[in-house]
Amino acid sequence: MGLLSKRDAALLTDPLADNNPITIQVLGICSALAITAELKASIVMAVSVLFVLGLGNVVISLMRNIIPSKIRIIVQLIVVATLVIIVDLVLKAFAYELSKTLSVFVGLIITNCIIMGRFEAFALGNGPWRAFLDGIGNAVGYGVILIAVGFFRELLGSGTLLGFKVLGDPIEKTGLYAIGYENNGFMLLSPMALIVVGILIWIQRSRNTSLIEEN
Amino acid sequence: MSKRTDSNGYTMMFAVIMVFVVGSLLAFLASSLKPAIKENERIEKQQNILYAMGVNENDASNANFVSTKVAGAEFKKYIKKQLVLEGNKISESQDAYLIDVKKQQANAKDGKVRKLPLFVGEKEGKTFYVAPIRGKGLWDAIWGYVSMDENMVVQGAYFDHKGETPGLGANIKQRYFMDDFIGEHLMTEDGVFKGITVKKGNNDAVNEDKTDYEVDAIAGATITGDGVSAMIKKDLSLYVPYFKNLKK
């Protein structure tokens, strides 16, 4: 990446692997459990968080020198809530169809701990450009895991991907279902998201043993 | 180390200014966008009602409304009468579709007469009676429109929700769930109102039995499904007297 210095590039790439917000920092688990039953919902959530975290980090970073430390968490909450509500209102007025799809995510975004976590840990102490990169990096790291979990849950739970019946029709018994394959309804329930995330963490740690803590 | 921003006075000032700025920004945005949002909601209601009576642009698996541009004209074309039922009184109104079901439900709770809107539509020589319903899901409100023939057999249904879980409860607005209601009976032959229950494991996943008063539930969305059953039972039962009169 010729455009970015090595330090800046690390801000983008670190959260993708060795400092992933979900699998390493274990943040944002609540939304990872709630909305990954379908691939489409995972993608929408990933894009929304990308937008809010990128923008929010810049706003907080610009305000970092005037925010009183005693009430900084409240200020962060207000900033993210305001951003999300503005987007929601504008979409409702000018892109109503899209807003119908997104409105259920509004609450999930405001309470997403990754967003608060990055505001607190990074944006408050860094300039806007670096904060922006950090926001994008973390949102992508979060999104990648969300989409991976959504992929497996929808595939194994409903036998579909983005609504397309990739494994055949379970009712008409075509494709895989013809030889006795059954969907695993368990995959649609939240606990299975935790197990999928757990497996991802396991894979990541077995590939990179430096991540394993000493007891 | 004490910074200027640590003092109590500064903190107070900051909080007051912040609340003022954010408050006025949001209030200004909300009130200036309100007409556009209201208009969108009005068109959506027309689209919902048309959808329930089968006027839509569905493709193989997705639910699609008629486009917003033609919704008004299509609504005029297909909806022949908009009725308002108040106790035994039946009146006609051009704006019955704008009646706020939530407000009317609250009115009924306060002991006032609840206005029940009913839309009589005609398509290809068939008459449809479309009624709005509203209830509670897991997180927030759910609502919908059900179109019936004169025997209270469901001809089409549209459900929507404010904040059900994406991928689970939110799927009540998917074709595979809504289409299950088509053809289901709400009333027995003797005129006893049964409603339709969203049920797990009813041994009828393909929904062939149309007189079992049940449709197959969505896995992982029990409470939303129960909400759908409840709002159908509660709100549609209010229309039973009208349908009984119709047959006399």
Side-chain angles (χ1 to χ4, degrees), chain B residues 173-201:
Chain B
K173 61 184 293 190
Q174 295 288 327
R175 277 283 297 283
Y176 73 84
F177 183 71
M178 298 191 295
D179 287 0
D180 268 3
F181 287 81
I182 297 175
E184 285 284 340
H185 291 243
L186 284 159
M187 223 170 14
T188 64
E189 301 229 330
D190 322 325
V192 181
F193 182 81
K194 293 277 230 180
I196 297 173
T197 307
V198 177
K199 205 165 178 211
K200 279 193 271 190

PDB file of all heavy atoms in Angstrom, chain B residues 173-201:
ATOM      1  N   LYS B 173     -42.431 -11.311   7.222  1.00  0.00           N
ATOM      2  CA  LYS B 173     -42.761 -10.601   5.981  1.00  0.00           C
ATOM      3  C   LYS B 173     -42.169 -11.248   4.746  1.00  0.00           C
ATOM      4  O   LYS B 173     -42.086 -10.648   3.689  1.00  0.00           O
ATOM      5  CB  LYS B 173     -42.420  -9.105   6.072  1.00  0.00           C
ATOM      6  CG  LYS B 173     -40.966  -8.815   6.296  1.00  0.00           C
ATOM      7  CD  LYS B 173     -40.729  -7.342   6.467  1.00  0.00           C
ATOM      8  CE  LYS B 173     -40.999  -6.543   5.206  1.00  0.00           C
ATOM      9  NZ  LYS B 173     -40.527  -5.160   5.334  1.00  0.00           N
ATOM     10  N   GLN B 174     -41.752 -12.520   4.895  1.00  0.00           N
ATOM     11  CA  GLN B 174     -41.264 -13.268   3.742  1.00  0.00           C
ATOM     12  C   GLN B 174     -42.419 -14.012   3.071  1.00  0.00           C
ATOM     13  O   GLN B 174     -43.354 -14.439   3.735  1.00  0.00           O
ATOM     14  CB  GLN B 174     -40.202 -14.280   4.175  1.00  0.00           C
ATOM     15  CG  GLN B 174     -38.936 -13.656   4.727  1.00  0.00           C
ATOM     16  CD  GLN B 174     -38.103 -12.997   3.666  1.00  0.00           C
ATOM     17  OE1 GLN B 174     -38.068 -13.432   2.530  1.00  0.00           O
ATOM     18  NE2 GLN B 174     -37.446 -11.898   4.018  1.00  0.00           N
ATOM     19  N   ARG B 175     -42.287 -14.207   1.778  1.00  0.00           N
ATOM     20  CA  ARG B 175     -43.309 -14.911   1.020  1.00  0.00           C
ATOM     21  C   ARG B 175     -43.658 -16.267   1.624  1.00  0.00           C
ATOM     22  O   ARG B 175     -44.821 -16.626   1.766  1.00  0.00           O
ATOM     23  CB  ARG B 175     -42.825 -15.139  -0.422  1.00  0.00           C
ATOM     24  CG  ARG B 175     -43.030 -13.978  -1.341  1.00  0.00           C
ATOM     25  CD  ARG B 175     -44.444 -13.814  -1.815  1.00  0.00           C
ATOM     26  NE  ARG B 175     -44.970 -14.911  -2.620  1.00  0.00           N
ATOM     27  CZ  ARG B 175     -44.685 -15.119  -3.903  1.00  0.00           C
ATOM     28  NH1 ARG B 175     -43.858 -14.326  -4.516  1.00  0.00           N
ATOM     29  NH2 ARG B 175     -45.221 -16.105  -4.565  1.00  0.00           N
ATOM     30  N   TYR B 176     -42.629 -17.051   1.973  1.00  0.00           N
ATOM     31  CA  TYR B 176     -42.903 -18.429   2.387  1.00  0.00           C
ATOM     32  C   TYR B 176     -43.782 -18.487   3.633  1.00  0.00           C
ATOM     33  O   TYR B 176     -44.495 -19.461   3.852  1.00  0.00           O
ATOM     34  CB  TYR B 176     -41.609 -19.227   2.566  1.00  0.00           C
ATOM     35  CG  TYR B 176     -40.783 -18.886   3.782  1.00  0.00           C
ATOM     36  CD1 TYR B 176     -41.080 -19.453   5.011  1.00  0.00           C
ATOM     37  CD2 TYR B 176     -39.704 -18.019   3.708  1.00  0.00           C
ATOM     38  CE1 TYR B 176     -40.326 -19.163   6.134  1.00  0.00           C
ATOM     39  CE2 TYR B 176     -38.947 -17.720   4.810  1.00  0.00           C
ATOM     40  CZ  TYR B 176     -39.259 -18.298   6.022  1.00  0.00           C
ATOM     41  OH  TYR B 176     -38.499 -18.005   7.131  1.00  0.00           O
ATOM     42  N   PHE B 177     -43.729 -17.448   4.453  1.00  0.00           N
ATOM     43  CA  PHE B 177     -44.604 -17.414   5.630  1.00  0.00           C
ATOM     44  C   PHE B 177     -45.980 -16.852   5.281  1.00  0.00           C
ATOM     45  O   PHE B 177     -47.003 -17.443   5.569  1.00  0.00           O
ATOM     46  CB  PHE B 177     -43.947 -16.591   6.738  1.00  0.00           C
ATOM     47  CG  PHE B 177     -44.755 -16.555   8.011  1.00  0.00           C
ATOM     48  CD1 PHE B 177     -44.865 -17.684   8.813  1.00  0.00           C
ATOM     49  CD2 PHE B 177     -45.414 -15.397   8.394  1.00  0.00           C
ATOM     50  CE1 PHE B 177     -45.614 -17.657   9.978  1.00  0.00           C
ATOM     51  CE2 PHE B 177     -46.166 -15.363   9.566  1.00  0.00           C
ATOM     52  CZ  PHE B 177     -46.262 -16.492  10.362  1.00  0.00           C
ATOM     53  N   MET B 178     -45.997 -15.710   4.613  1.00  0.00           N
ATOM     54  CA  MET B 178     -47.272 -15.041   4.310  1.00  0.00           C
ATOM     55  C   MET B 178     -48.145 -15.889   3.391  1.00  0.00           C
ATOM     56  O   MET B 178     -49.357 -15.947   3.546  1.00  0.00           O
ATOM     57  CB  MET B 178     -47.012 -13.681   3.679  1.00  0.00           C
ATOM     58  CG  MET B 178     -46.262 -12.731   4.577  1.00  0.00           C
ATOM     59  SD  MET B 178     -46.232 -11.039   3.988  1.00  0.00           S
ATOM     60  CE  MET B 178     -45.295 -11.174   2.496  1.00  0.00           C
ATOM     61  N   ASP B 179     -47.512 -16.559   2.418  1.00  0.00           N
ATOM     62  CA  ASP B 179     -48.285 -17.327   1.444  1.00  0.00           C
ATOM     63  C   ASP B 179     -48.978 -18.534   2.079  1.00  0.00           C
ATOM     64  O   ASP B 179     -49.972 -19.033   1.564  1.00  0.00           O
ATOM     65  CB  ASP B 179     -47.392 -17.781   0.282  1.00  0.00           C
ATOM     66  CG  ASP B 179     -47.034 -16.620  -0.644  1.00  0.00           C
ATOM     67  OD1 ASP B 179     -47.484 -15.504  -0.353  1.00  0.00           O
ATOM     68  OD2 ASP B 179     -46.326 -16.849  -1.636  1.00  0.00           O
ATOM     69  N   ASP B 180     -48.425 -19.006   3.205  1.00  0.00           N
ATOM     70  CA  ASP B 180     -49.057 -20.132   3.905  1.00  0.00           C
ATOM     71  C   ASP B 180     -50.486 -19.824   4.336  1.00  0.00           C
ATOM     72  O   ASP B 180     -51.292 -20.725   4.515  1.00  0.00           O
ATOM     73  CB  ASP B 180     -48.238 -20.489   5.154  1.00  0.00           C
ATOM     74  CG  ASP B 180     -47.195 -21.554   4.862  1.00  0.00           C
ATOM     75  OD1 ASP B 180     -47.094 -21.946   3.684  1.00  0.00           O
ATOM     76  OD2 ASP B 180     -46.506 -21.982   5.789  1.00  0.00           O
ATOM     77  N   PHE B 181     -50.784 -18.550   4.531  1.00  0.00           N
ATOM     78  CA  PHE B 181     -52.109 -18.187   5.035  1.00  0.00           C
ATOM     79  C   PHE B 181     -53.176 -18.261   3.940  1.00  0.00           C
ATOM     80  O   PHE B 181     -54.366 -18.346   4.240  1.00  0.00           O
ATOM     81  CB  PHE B 181     -52.089 -16.769   5.633  1.00  0.00           C
ATOM     82  CG  PHE B 181     -51.386 -16.710   6.950  1.00  0.00           C
ATOM     83  CD1 PHE B 181     -50.004 -16.649   7.013  1.00  0.00           C
ATOM     84  CD2 PHE B 181     -52.105 -16.735   8.129  1.00  0.00           C
ATOM     85  CE1 PHE B 181     -49.346 -16.616   8.229  1.00  0.00           C
ATOM     86  CE2 PHE B 181     -51.451 -16.697   9.351  1.00  0.00           C
ATOM     87  CZ  PHE B 181     -50.071 -16.639   9.398  1.00  0.00           C
ATOM     88  N   ILE B 182     -52.740 -18.196   2.683  1.00  0.00           N
ATOM     89  CA  ILE B 182     -53.715 -18.149   1.593  1.00  0.00           C
ATOM     90  C   ILE B 182     -54.527 -19.432   1.578  1.00  0.00           C
ATOM     91  O   ILE B 182     -53.978 -20.538   1.574  1.00  0.00           O
ATOM     92  CB  ILE B 182     -53.004 -17.931   0.242  1.00  0.00           C
ATOM     93  CG1 ILE B 182     -52.296 -16.581   0.271  1.00  0.00           C
ATOM     94  CG2 ILE B 182     -53.986 -18.010  -0.913  1.00  0.00           C
ATOM     95  CD1 ILE B 182     -51.450 -16.297  -0.945  1.00  0.00           C
ATOM     96  N   GLY B 183     -55.853 -19.286   1.582  1.00  0.00           N
ATOM     97  CA  GLY B 183     -56.730 -20.443   1.532  1.00  0.00           C
ATOM     98  C   GLY B 183     -57.141 -20.965   2.900  1.00  0.00           C
ATOM     99  O   GLY B 183     -58.057 -21.777   3.010  1.00  0.00           O
ATOM    100  N   GLU B 184     -56.445 -20.500   3.954  1.00  0.00           N
ATOM    101  CA  GLU B 184     -56.802 -20.954   5.302  1.00  0.00           C
ATOM    102  C   GLU B 184     -58.174 -20.408   5.707  1.00  0.00           C
ATOM    103  O   GLU B 184     -58.510 -19.262   5.428  1.00  0.00           O
ATOM    104  CB  GLU B 184     -55.757 -20.479   6.322  1.00  0.00           C
ATOM    105  CG  GLU B 184     -54.453 -21.245   6.293  1.00  0.00           C
ATOM    106  CD  GLU B 184     -54.553 -22.629   6.951  1.00  0.00           C
ATOM    107  OE1 GLU B 184     -55.488 -22.848   7.751  1.00  0.00           O
ATOM    108  OE2 GLU B 184     -53.713 -23.486   6.633  1.00  0.00           O
ATOM    109  N   HIS B 185     -58.948 -21.234   6.401  1.00  0.00           N
ATOM    110  CA  HIS B 185     -60.253 -20.791   6.893  1.00  0.00           C
ATOM    111  C   HIS B 185     -60.103 -20.167   8.266  1.00  0.00           C
ATOM    112  O   HIS B 185     -59.294 -20.607   9.065  1.00  0.00           O
ATOM    113  CB  HIS B 185     -61.202 -21.984   6.975  1.00  0.00           C
ATOM    114  CG  HIS B 185     -61.588 -22.520   5.627  1.00  0.00           C
ATOM    115  ND1 HIS B 185     -62.878 -22.514   5.182  1.00  0.00           N
ATOM    116  CD2 HIS B 185     -60.845 -23.038   4.626  1.00  0.00           C
ATOM    117  CE1 HIS B 185     -62.910 -23.032   3.954  1.00  0.00           C
ATOM    118  NE2 HIS B 185     -61.688 -23.357   3.599  1.00  0.00           N
ATOM    119  N   LEU B 186     -60.901 -19.117   8.504  1.00  0.00           N
ATOM    120  CA  LEU B 186     -60.881 -18.466   9.816  1.00  0.00           C
ATOM    121  C   LEU B 186     -62.077 -18.908  10.656  1.00  0.00           C
ATOM    122  O   LEU B 186     -62.096 -18.744  11.870  1.00  0.00           O
ATOM    123  CB  LEU B 186     -60.920 -16.944   9.649  1.00  0.00           C
ATOM    124  CG  LEU B 186     -59.628 -16.258   9.210  1.00  0.00           C
ATOM    125  CD1 LEU B 186     -59.923 -14.905   8.610  1.00  0.00           C
ATOM    126  CD2 LEU B 186     -58.697 -16.109  10.401  1.00  0.00           C
ATOM    127  N   MET B 187     -63.108 -19.444   9.968  1.00  0.00           N
ATOM    128  CA  MET B 187     -64.364 -19.748  10.635  1.00  0.00           C
ATOM    129  C   MET B 187     -64.773 -21.176  10.267  1.00  0.00           C
ATOM    130  O   MET B 187     -64.503 -21.633   9.168  1.00  0.00           O
ATOM    131  CB  MET B 187     -65.441 -18.764  10.143  1.00  0.00           C
ATOM    132  CG  MET B 187     -66.284 -18.256  11.252  1.00  0.00           C
ATOM    133  SD  MET B 187     -67.402 -16.892  10.864  1.00  0.00           S
ATOM    134  CE  MET B 187     -67.524 -16.709   9.147  1.00  0.00           C
ATOM    135  N   THR B 188     -65.402 -21.883  11.186  1.00  0.00           N
ATOM    136  CA  THR B 188     -65.920 -23.208  10.851  1.00  0.00           C
ATOM    137  C   THR B 188     -67.172 -23.042   9.997  1.00  0.00           C
ATOM    138  O   THR B 188     -67.697 -21.938   9.865  1.00  0.00           O
ATOM    139  CB  THR B 188     -66.299 -24.005  12.110  1.00  0.00           C
ATOM    140  OG1 THR B 188     -67.381 -23.309  12.744  1.00  0.00           O
ATOM    141  CG2 THR B 188     -65.140 -24.117  13.059  1.00  0.00           C
ATOM    142  N   GLU B 189     -67.643 -24.155   9.450  1.00  0.00           N
ATOM    143  CA  GLU B 189     -68.843 -24.088   8.602  1.00  0.00           C
ATOM    144  C   GLU B 189     -70.046 -23.592   9.385  1.00  0.00           C
ATOM    145  O   GLU B 189     -70.951 -22.980   8.827  1.00  0.00           O
ATOM    146  CB  GLU B 189     -69.131 -25.476   8.030  1.00  0.00           C
ATOM    147  CG  GLU B 189     -67.983 -26.009   7.202  1.00  0.00           C
ATOM    148  CD  GLU B 189     -68.439 -26.533   5.863  1.00  0.00           C
ATOM    149  OE1 GLU B 189     -69.591 -27.003   5.780  1.00  0.00           O
ATOM    150  OE2 GLU B 189     -67.661 -26.418   4.905  1.00  0.00           O
ATOM    151  N   ASP B 190     -70.056 -23.869  10.711  1.00  0.00           N
ATOM    152  CA  ASP B 190     -71.194 -23.437  11.529  1.00  0.00           C
ATOM    153  C   ASP B 190     -71.049 -21.988  11.972  1.00  0.00           C
ATOM    154  O   ASP B 190     -71.851 -21.495  12.759  1.00  0.00           O
ATOM    155  CB  ASP B 190     -71.325 -24.317  12.783  1.00  0.00           C
ATOM    156  CG  ASP B 190     -71.012 -25.765  12.488  1.00  0.00           C
ATOM    157  OD1 ASP B 190     -71.353 -26.195  11.383  1.00  0.00           O
ATOM    158  OD2 ASP B 190     -70.422 -26.444  13.359  1.00  0.00           O
ATOM    159  N   GLY B 191     -70.022 -21.333  11.516  1.00  0.00           N
ATOM    160  CA  GLY B 191     -69.895 -19.915  11.832  1.00  0.00           C
ATOM    161  C   GLY B 191     -69.208 -19.628  13.163  1.00  0.00           C
ATOM    162  O   GLY B 191     -69.392 -18.583  13.757  1.00  0.00           O
ATOM    163  N   VAL B 192     -68.407 -20.585  13.664  1.00  0.00           N
ATOM    164  CA  VAL B 192     -67.639 -20.319  14.887  1.00  0.00           C
ATOM    165  C   VAL B 192     -66.258 -19.794  14.474  1.00  0.00           C
ATOM    166  O   VAL B 192     -65.564 -20.426  13.684  1.00  0.00           O
ATOM    167  CB  VAL B 192     -67.475 -21.599  15.731  1.00  0.00           C
ATOM    168  CG1 VAL B 192     -66.700 -21.293  17.001  1.00  0.00           C
ATOM    169  CG2 VAL B 192     -68.824 -22.201  16.032  1.00  0.00           C
ATOM    170  N   PHE B 193     -65.887 -18.632  14.997  1.00  0.00           N
ATOM    171  CA  PHE B 193     -64.611 -18.025  14.622  1.00  0.00           C
ATOM    172  C   PHE B 193     -63.459 -18.734  15.318  1.00  0.00           C
ATOM    173  O   PHE B 193     -63.439 -18.859  16.538  1.00  0.00           O
ATOM    174  CB  PHE B 193     -64.605 -16.540  14.980  1.00  0.00           C
ATOM    175  CG  PHE B 193     -63.336 -15.848  14.576  1.00  0.00           C
ATOM    176  CD1 PHE B 193     -63.132 -15.424  13.272  1.00  0.00           C
ATOM    177  CD2 PHE B 193     -62.333 -15.618  15.515  1.00  0.00           C
ATOM    178  CE1 PHE B 193     -61.958 -14.804  12.903  1.00  0.00           C
ATOM    179  CE2 PHE B 193     -61.151 -14.999  15.144  1.00  0.00           C
ATOM    180  CZ  PHE B 193     -60.971 -14.594  13.839  1.00  0.00           C
ATOM    181  N   LYS B 194     -62.492 -19.243  14.538  1.00  0.00           N
ATOM    182  CA  LYS B 194     -61.376 -19.986  15.121  1.00  0.00           C
ATOM    183  C   LYS B 194     -60.057 -19.227  15.037  1.00  0.00           C
ATOM    184  O   LYS B 194     -59.149 -19.482  15.804  1.00  0.00           O
ATOM    185  CB  LYS B 194     -61.207 -21.306  14.359  1.00  0.00           C
ATOM    186  CG  LYS B 194     -62.354 -22.266  14.555  1.00  0.00           C
ATOM    187  CD  LYS B 194     -62.162 -23.018  15.840  1.00  0.00           C
ATOM    188  CE  LYS B 194     -62.316 -24.501  15.593  1.00  0.00           C
ATOM    189  NZ  LYS B 194     -62.124 -25.256  16.825  1.00  0.00           N
ATOM    190  N   GLY B 195     -59.932 -18.338  14.068  1.00  0.00           N
ATOM    191  CA  GLY B 195     -58.643 -17.683  13.856  1.00  0.00           C
ATOM    192  C   GLY B 195     -57.656 -18.635  13.206  1.00  0.00           C
ATOM    193  O   GLY B 195     -58.018 -19.737  12.796  1.00  0.00           O
ATOM    194  N   ILE B 196     -56.405 -18.198  13.104  1.00  0.00           N
ATOM    195  CA  ILE B 196     -55.356 -19.061  12.554  1.00  0.00           C
ATOM    196  C   ILE B 196     -54.200 -19.037  13.533  1.00  0.00           C
ATOM    197  O   ILE B 196     -53.743 -17.966  13.936  1.00  0.00           O
ATOM    198  CB  ILE B 196     -54.873 -18.562  11.173  1.00  0.00           C
ATOM    199  CG1 ILE B 196     -56.022 -18.602  10.163  1.00  0.00           C
ATOM    200  CG2 ILE B 196     -53.705 -19.408  10.684  1.00  0.00           C
ATOM    201  CD1 ILE B 196     -55.678 -17.979   8.830  1.00  0.00           C
ATOM    202  N   THR B 197     -53.726 -20.207  13.935  1.00  0.00           N
ATOM    203  CA  THR B 197     -52.628 -20.278  14.884  1.00  0.00           C
ATOM    204  C   THR B 197     -51.340 -20.624  14.158  1.00  0.00           C
ATOM    205  O   THR B 197     -51.311 -21.527  13.334  1.00  0.00           O
ATOM    206  CB  THR B 197     -52.919 -21.339  15.962  1.00  0.00           C
ATOM    207  OG1 THR B 197     -54.198 -21.059  16.515  1.00  0.00           O
ATOM    208  CG2 THR B 197     -51.879 -21.309  17.046  1.00  0.00           C
ATOM    209  N   VAL B 198     -50.292 -19.861  14.484  1.00  0.00           N
ATOM    210  CA  VAL B 198     -48.963 -20.168  13.947  1.00  0.00           C
ATOM    211  C   VAL B 198     -48.365 -21.208  14.865  1.00  0.00           C
ATOM    212  O   VAL B 198     -48.126 -20.946  16.037  1.00  0.00           O
ATOM    213  CB  VAL B 198     -48.090 -18.904  13.932  1.00  0.00           C
ATOM    214  CG1 VAL B 198     -46.692 -19.232  13.440  1.00  0.00           C
ATOM    215  CG2 VAL B 198     -48.723 -17.840  13.070  1.00  0.00           C
ATOM    216  N   LYS B 199     -48.163 -22.427  14.341  1.00  0.00           N
ATOM    217  CA  LYS B 199     -47.857 -23.527  15.250  1.00  0.00           C
ATOM    218  C   LYS B 199     -46.618 -24.304  14.843  1.00  0.00           C
ATOM    219  O   LYS B 199     -46.396 -24.566  13.677  1.00  0.00           O
ATOM    220  CB  LYS B 199     -49.049 -24.467  15.305  1.00  0.00           C
ATOM    221  CG  LYS B 199     -49.074 -25.242  16.585  1.00  0.00           C
ATOM    222  CD  LYS B 199     -50.406 -25.888  16.825  1.00  0.00           C
ATOM    223  CE  LYS B 199     -50.263 -26.683  18.121  1.00  0.00           C
ATOM    224  NZ  LYS B 199     -51.067 -27.843  18.160  1.00  0.00           N
ATOM    225  N   LYS B 200     -45.844 -24.681  15.860  1.00  0.00           N
ATOM    226  CA  LYS B 200     -44.666 -25.511  15.601  1.00  0.00           C
ATOM    227  C   LYS B 200     -45.103 -26.952  15.443  1.00  0.00           C
ATOM    228  O   LYS B 200     -45.991 -27.415  16.138  1.00  0.00           O
ATOM    229  CB  LYS B 200     -43.713 -25.438  16.792  1.00  0.00           C
ATOM    230  CG  LYS B 200     -42.853 -24.212  16.776  1.00  0.00           C
ATOM    231  CD  LYS B 200     -41.726 -24.368  17.780  1.00  0.00           C
ATOM    232  CE  LYS B 200     -42.180 -23.864  19.144  1.00  0.00           C
ATOM    233  NZ  LYS B 200     -41.064 -23.780  20.092  1.00  0.00           N
ATOM    234  N   GLY B 201     -44.466 -27.668  14.541  1.00  0.00           N
ATOM    235  CA  GLY B 201     -44.668 -29.101  14.406  1.00  0.00           C
ATOM    236  C   GLY B 201     -46.117 -29.495  14.262  1.00  0.00           C
ATOM    237  O   GLY B 201     -46.640 -30.310  15.011  1.00  0.00           O
TER     238      GLY B 201
END
